[in-house]
Amino acid sequence: MNRRRLLRFGIAAAGSAAIQAWNPAGIRTARGADAPLVYPFSLPPLAYPHDALEPVIDAQTMQIHHTKHHQAYIDNLNAALKDHPRFHGVPIDSLLRGLKDVPEAIRTAVRNHGGGHVNHQMFWSVMRPPGVENAGGEPQGELAEAINSQFGSLEQFKTAFVQAGTRLFGSGWVFLIAEPGTMKLSILTTPNQDSVFLEPGRAALFGNDCWEHAYYLKYQNRRADYLNAWWGVLSWDAVARRFEQIKTGKSPI
Ligand code: MN
């Protein structure tokens, strides 16, 4: 991350001058560049205040979700790895991809809490206040073409995504994933905190959190309402950056 990219963010956020003052370090983290990828893991600061995603996601939900739920996944992941120094230099995506090599005693903890950590890190990084970085807008260029060719139209894709998230039984995630190489897109749901990294050849363009803790205070049992409203804070610019990374062989966390 350099100054030019920070400035670009500022320009993209024209009309919301305060965004630059919020947390420039957090902006870097939100792009996935600076967050620690190895043990000990720590909570990535957000690129926006907890109330910035109102009215789609209320401030209290954001605050609890970020500082309590996500922090707990990180604390539990660090605790599981504490006595296993051989894994301290292993990036989190490699830990999940190579889960079978993790000792059985901590394998479930790494799967659940490591998955919880990467899922939430991705989740914060693809959201922006409505209107900022094309949040609530429409994808452009190659990303738009990929969605249209795979799903027919953006609206058809959104309907299928919301339907998949609504039908997911219990707690879990709904993702739009890309197959690196072909960039073929598909919708994937995973139970609990299972990460897309658990299977080879998967990379997430974005995902939405279908745990009740993500929406219950405002939407109660109406998960579909939450999923539909969430398009208002999904930054298609952030998704396009991940699309580009995957296309060029990098796997965004
Ligand atoms: Mn969550």
Side-chain angles (χ1 to χ4, degrees), residues 31-212:
R31 290 181 190 279
D34 283 2
L37 297 178
V38 297
Y39 176 95
F41 299 98
S42 62
L43 188 68
L46 301 184
Y48 39 81
H50 288 129
D51 63 359
L53 306 185
E54 298 255 16
V56 175
I57 305 179
D58 60 285
Q60 191 185 13
T61 295
M62 282 296 291
Q63 201 264 332
I64 297 170
H65 199 176
H66 179 235
T67 66
K68 305 293 183 194
H69 289 279
H70 189 176
Q71 184 69 60
Y73 295 121
I74 291 166
D75 292 345
N76 289 323
L77 176 62
N78 286 336
L81 292 170
K82 184 170 174 284
D83 295 329
H84 298 268
R86 132 177 195 234
F87 295 100
H88 288 184
V90 181
I92 183 62
D93 54 327
S94 302
L95 269 176
L96 293 166
R97 285 196 178 98
L99 195 65
K100 62 176 186 351
D101 299 324
V102 171
E104 206 175 344
I106 59 165
R107 200 175 295 155
T108 300
V110 171
R111 178 184 190 133
N112 290 341
H113 301 293
H117 177 38
V118 291
N119 287 341
H120 287 87
Q121 187 156 309
M122 172 280 302
F123 184 60
W124 313 129
S125 78
V126 297
M127 295 192 292
R128 288 291 183 276
V132 174
E133 294 206 339
N134 204 11
E138 293 188 357
Q140 307 293 321
E142 258 186 282
L143 173 59
E145 284 163 29
I147 288 173
N148 289 338
S149 73
Q150 196 67 43
F151 299 98
S153 68
L154 179 62
E155 284 315 306
Q156 283 175 285
F157 159 67
K158 284 183 175 177
T159 301
F161 187 91
V162 169
Q163 196 171 70
T166 306
R167 284 181 180 167
L168 172 65
F169 182 74
S171 299
W173 286 76
V174 54
F175 296 97
L176 177 64
I177 63 169
E179 196 177 281
T182 63
M183 293 309 284
K184 187 175 179 300
L185 307 185
S186 53
I187 294 168
L188 173 78
T189 58
T190 65
N192 308 313
Q193 290 294 348
D194 278 3
S195 160
V196 300
F197 296 131
L198 293 177
E199 298 286 336
R202 280 185 190 165
L205 283 171
F206 64 85
N208 198 350
D209 190 337
C210 294
W211 285 58
E212 284 186 346

